[in-house]
Amino acid sequence: MLYAALRHAIGMLRVDYRQVHCGEVAVPADPDTLILHHVSLRAMVQGSYWK
C-alpha cells in the first residue's frame, strides 16, 4: 500500500511541477503541499498510519 501511495504521489507531483512551470499555479510557501495527501503519506512512512 505504501509503494502504491508513493508511486501515485510521484506521478501527481510531476503534474503539479508542470503546472508551476507553466505558470498555472504559484509555488506554495510549503512545497510539501504539492504532494497529494502528503499528511497520509508521511504517516505511512513513519508507521503511524496503521495504528
Side-chain angles (χ1 to χ4, degrees):
M1 187 171 184
L2 173 59
Y3 180 67
L6 184 58
R7 285 187 57 177
H8 183 261
I10 290 169
M12 296 309 296
L13 184 60
R14 292 185 67 196
V15 170
D16 288 341
Y17 278 161
R18 185 171 180 86
Q19 287 179 324
V20 168
H21 177 75
C22 293
E24 296 175 9
V25 296
V27 178
D30 181 12
D32 285 347
T33 59
L34 286 175
I35 301 171
L36 189 62
H37 306 297
H38 67 279
V39 175
S40 298
L41 187 60
R42 179 178 289 130
M44 285 181 186
V45 170
Q46 292 174 343
S48 61
Y49 180 81
W50 291 279
K51 289 184 182 182

